[in-house]
Amino acid sequence: MHYLSPSEVPFAFLDVETTGLDPANGDRVCEIAVLKTVNGSEVDRFVTLVNPGKSIPLSAVSVHGITDVMVSRAPFFRDIANSLISFLRGAVVVAHNARFDLGFLRMELLNLGLMLPETDVVDTLGIARRYYSFASNGLGHIARDIGLPAAAAHRALADVLTTRSV
């Protein structure tokens, strides 16, 4: 078995935007971003709006600003699923509140009879809760508290870039 040195391990910084908070209740992914790095350098990115196949509620639009018009010509999840699986394979996934993001991806893939590749996961929210005492564990608040500029929150790529910086 070949083990990678730490500098060779690919990290996949991941974020999804959704139509709501509960994939088991029919909420769907409407945007996904994954930034892959090796040894701290970006090597690839996977960023797309996703047509959720349903109207995006105003409560979700007010959070991320993604509208039905924006996703009307975007691919459906089934159209990107295999590419996403390939993109994540072999990488350590890093996400802020990984349970949320991966829960949505697992449900979307399960609906297609597919599975996420087995991977290690680093959850920056879990790290913040366990090892730090931030006033708020929201990604933007953590970034500001440690002196980083927080990009526009609640768009997938902006949150991925902030997670990577954190």
Side-chain angles (χ1 to χ4, degrees):
M1 178 176 263
H2 172 69
Y3 292 98
L4 297 176
S5 76
S7 65
E8 297 173 302
V9 175
F11 287 89
F13 294 86
L14 166 75
D15 188 67
V16 299
E17 300 302 335
T18 64
T19 63
L21 301 175
D22 187 2
N25 207 24
D27 290 321
R28 307 290 303 271
V29 170
C30 60
E31 185 179 40
I32 184 166
V34 188
L35 177 77
K36 192 179 289 184
T37 66
V38 175
N39 199 23
S41 297
E42 179 179 342
V43 295
D44 205 355
R45 57 175 65 181
F46 182 99
V47 181
T48 186
L49 288 169
V50 177
N51 187 327
K54 63 184 271 183
S55 185
I56 302 172
L58 288 177
S59 56
V61 174
S62 70
V63 173
H64 51 55
I66 300 169
T67 65
D68 291 339
V69 171
M70 293 168 68
V71 298
S72 64
R73 301 187 79 159
F76 291 97
F77 196 88
R78 67 178 173 261
D79 301 321
I80 63 157
N82 287 317
S83 297
L84 177 64
I85 290 168
S86 295
F87 197 85
L88 293 174
R89 189 171 285 117
V92 174
V93 171
V94 183
H96 194 77
N97 195 2
R99 179 175 290 158
F100 179 86
D101 297 287
L102 294 176
F104 268 91
L105 293 183
R106 283 188 185 103
M107 183 63 75
E108 292 279 7
L109 291 168
L110 184 64
N111 290 339
L112 300 170
L114 300 170
M115 292 180 54
L116 272 174
E118 287 292 319
T119 183
D120 290 321
V121 176
V122 175
D123 186 351
T124 56
L125 176 61
I127 292 169
R129 286 178 172 160
R130 182 166 183 177
Y131 297 105
Y132 298 93
S133 301
F134 295 108
S136 166
N137 287 316
L139 182 59
H141 291 282
I142 292 171
R144 282 187 292 280
D145 284 357
I146 64 175
L148 297 171
H154 300 300
R155 284 302 302 267
L157 183 58
D159 286 353
V160 158
L161 294 171
T162 301
T163 300
R164 178 183 179 200
S165 295
V166 166

